[in-house]
Amino acid sequence: MTDTLRHSAAIHGIVVPDSRLGRAITAFVRDTESELLFNHSSRVFFFGALAGLQRELSVDRELLYAAAMFHDIGLMPSHSSPDLRFEVDGANAAQDFLLGHGVDAGEVNLVWTAIALHTTPGIPAFMHPVVALTTAGVEMDVLGLTYDDYDDATRDAVVAAFPRTAHFKEDILQAFYEGIRHKPDTTFGNVKADVIADKEPHFHRGNFCSVIRGSRWAG
């Protein structure tokens, strides 16, 4: 799909931000991520913004776009650290990018938090709309948790603008695995441990109870 169509297509009044910052985000993420992740991140923005309409939440869509588009960039080798959770890598990348484009530090912190928490269920929904709606978009596009909250026409419009691959479920799992396989310890206590366990049957994930029992405390 051409840039013109990407920026002109409106779904329930929601469009890709056509501001200077919005265009810079689009260009940077398109040049950095795979097509799979770029389209996924774009759908996350739309589903998150649509969730905002459903929940009657007022949100700065430019900040939501930044969070949605950067939320998986920590999976890419160019932005992957050897020892931080990929969510933190993505949050740090977004922070550097936004500060470099003159975005207010408080707004940048909202985006950082939204990205860092997007795989932590049960908490973002009670936070600032930028945080809540980033996770809402992820939960819809990857997990399908709110699939029935969107009618067929709306879902079809989002996917037509930013297509899912024929085997997106397995493709996204593979993308997650490739992005974190070199640092399995960072998945302790979070959902990405399931990804490594799925791909590596002999993977021994960290155990919270074992950490407590193995600490240096006497009792």
Side-chain angles (χ1 to χ4, degrees), residues 125-206:
F126 301 96
M127 299 181 69
H128 188 280
V130 171
V131 181
L133 297 177
T134 299
T135 293
V138 172
E139 290 180 341
M140 169 57 182
D141 197 55
V142 177
L143 301 171
L145 296 184
T146 53
Y147 187 87
D148 292 330
D149 291 349
Y150 304 84
D151 59 37
D152 291 345
T154 299
R155 290 193 303 266
D156 290 347
V158 174
V159 173
F162 301 98
R164 290 170 67 96
T165 59
H167 304 287
F168 176 74
K169 295 175 182 179
E170 294 302 322
D171 292 342
I172 195 67
L173 286 172
Q174 187 64 31
F176 291 154
Y177 176 61
E178 291 173 359
I180 61 177
R181 63 189 300 182
H182 65 290
K183 47 181 179 180
D185 289 346
T186 65
T187 67
F188 174 68
N190 70 76
V191 296
K192 288 301 185 284
D194 293 339
V195 174
I196 296 186
D198 181 81
K199 299 293 184 179
E200 300 179 12
H202 300 296
F203 171 63
H204 294 288
R205 67 181 73 200

